[in-house]
């Protein structure tokens, strides 16, 4: 079947605008993860979902960031009042489970490259 | 807190063997992962270790020592296509549930 998809692939926005990033995980995957990767840097963990629930939101950089997941499938990451430091590639991943053998491999989407001007 | 260290860059020759080290500190260790990331692409899974020892998968092997907070990724018979960043990641289980913490990655250059 299809892999993880993300949209848009690229987003250029003006400072202060809100943006919404979308992730479609692999069908049947209960765990979903959001990461941020700045140029030449490693992945910064933002948040994960088990089903529709996000037990820990402490990885979100500020209260301008929020995420939700509905129907145990699609997730959206919303950034309000964007700042230039929000510019990065936002990666979404999913895994079959959150724990156990089904959690070992996270399948990543192609990412959304966000540029805040 | 959590901390993961790995070398920034390494260079090796086609056909050779290279070992990429990773040291970590975490309070709720629940597994260590290695991912490969080619420039401009998403990371892809290479290996998972939760118990001490060596896991072999084709040309790639990964080793874990939990008591030392240490892992390495061994790449044999290097090919040009192995030029990529290799990300060490640790899953940490705490009061907030599961977190996967990634290191900054090791950029491997394979030369002819």
């Amino acid at each position: 079947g299809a892999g993880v998809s993300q949209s848009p692939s690229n987003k250029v926005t003006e400072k202060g605008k809100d943006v919404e990033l979308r992730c479609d995980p692999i069908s049947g995957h209960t765990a979903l993860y959001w990461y941020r990767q700045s140029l030449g840097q490693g992945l910064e963990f933002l948040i994960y979902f088990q089903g529709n629930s996000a037990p820990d939101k402490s990885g979100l950089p500020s209260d301008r960031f929020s995420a939700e997941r509905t129907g145990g499938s699609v997730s959206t990451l919303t950034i309000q009042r964007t700042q230039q430091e929000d510019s990065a590639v936002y990666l979404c991943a999913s895994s079959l489970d959150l724990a156990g053998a089904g959690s070992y491999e996270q399948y990543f989407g192609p990412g959304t490259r966000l540029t805040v001007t | 807190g959590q901390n993961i260290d790995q070398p920034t860059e390494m260079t090796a020759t086609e056909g050779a063997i290279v070992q990429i080290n990773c040291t970590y500190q975490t309070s709720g260790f629940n597994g260590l992962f290695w991912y490969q990331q080619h420039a401009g692409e998403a990371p892809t899974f290479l290996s998972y270790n939760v118990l001490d020892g060596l896991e072999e998968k084709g040309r790639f092997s990964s080793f874990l020592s939990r008591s030392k907070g240490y892992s390495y990724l061994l790449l044999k018979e290097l090919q040009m296509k192995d030029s990529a960043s290799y990300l060490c990641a640790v899953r940490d289980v705490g009061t907030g549930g599961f977190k996967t913490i990634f290191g900054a990655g090791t950029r491997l250059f394979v030369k002819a």
Side-chain angles (χ1 to χ4, degrees):
Chain A
V4 178
S5 62
Q6 293 184 245
S7 61
S9 55
N10 280 285
K11 177 71 177 179
V12 180
T13 190
E14 291 181 352
K15 177 182 174 181
K17 301 281 190 180
D18 297 352
V19 296
E20 191 172 276
L21 313 180
R22 176 187 170 106
C23 172
D24 280 273
I26 293 173
S27 178
H29 279 196
T30 61
L32 185 147
Y33 315 81
W34 281 99
Y35 298 90
R36 179 169 71 173
Q37 187 171 33
S38 300
L39 188 63
Q41 302 298 310
L43 275 67
E44 176 188 3
F45 175 84
L46 298 179
I47 193 170
Y48 78 90
F49 287 88
Q50 171 67 354
N52 293 332
S53 174
D56 182 6
K57 300 180 180 178
S58 64
L60 295 175
S62 76
D63 59 7
R64 297 185 294 103
F65 287 71
S66 63
E68 65 173 15
R69 188 180 185 194
T70 56
S73 181
V74 172
S75 177
T76 54
L77 178 69
T78 302
I79 309 173
Q80 296 178 312
R81 305 180 302 282
T82 52
Q83 304 294 312
Q84 288 187 330
E85 61 262 29
D86 299 334
S87 296
V89 175
Y90 289 81
L91 290 161
C92 173
S94 71
S95 62
L96 189 61
D97 292 308
L98 187 62
S103 68
Y104 297 167
E105 182 168 359
Q106 293 183 24
Y107 296 82
F108 282 82
T112 294
R113 182 175 298 277
L114 175 66
T115 303
V116 182
T117 61
Chain B
Q2 304 109 353
N3 191 48
I4 298 177
D5 289 311
Q6 51 182 132
T8 304
E9 288 186 0
M10 298 182 71
T11 301
T13 305
E14 191 176 19
I17 299 173
V18 70
Q19 177 174 313
I20 303 174
N21 296 323
C22 171
T23 57
Y24 64 89
Q25 292 177 315
T26 184
S27 54
F29 179 81
N30 190 249
L32 185 140
F33 306 82
W34 284 95
Y35 280 79
Q36 180 190 60
Q37 186 176 27
H38 284 99
E41 298 181 11
T44 55
F45 173 83
L46 291 178
S47 69
Y48 171 75
N49 296 69
V50 67
L51 300 176
D52 291 351
L54 187 68
E55 295 281 343
E56 297 185 78
K57 188 188 297 185
R59 294 189 299 115
F60 293 5
S61 302
S62 57
F63 171 83
L64 175 67
S65 169
R66 289 171 296 171
S67 62
K68 296 181 180 178
Y70 168 70
S71 172
Y72 67 72
L73 179 69
L74 194 70
L75 292 75
K76 304 176 184 176
E77 301 168 15
L78 279 173
Q79 302 174 11
M80 300 298 287
K81 67 178 182 179
D82 296 331
S83 293
S85 286
Y86 290 86
L87 310 177
C88 175
V90 170
R91 185 160 63 190
D92 184 83
V93 179
T95 54
F98 292 83
K99 286 184 179 180
T100 306
I101 311 301
F102 280 79
T106 298
R107 292 185 66 189
L108 175 65
F109 298 92
V110 180
K111 59 182 183 179

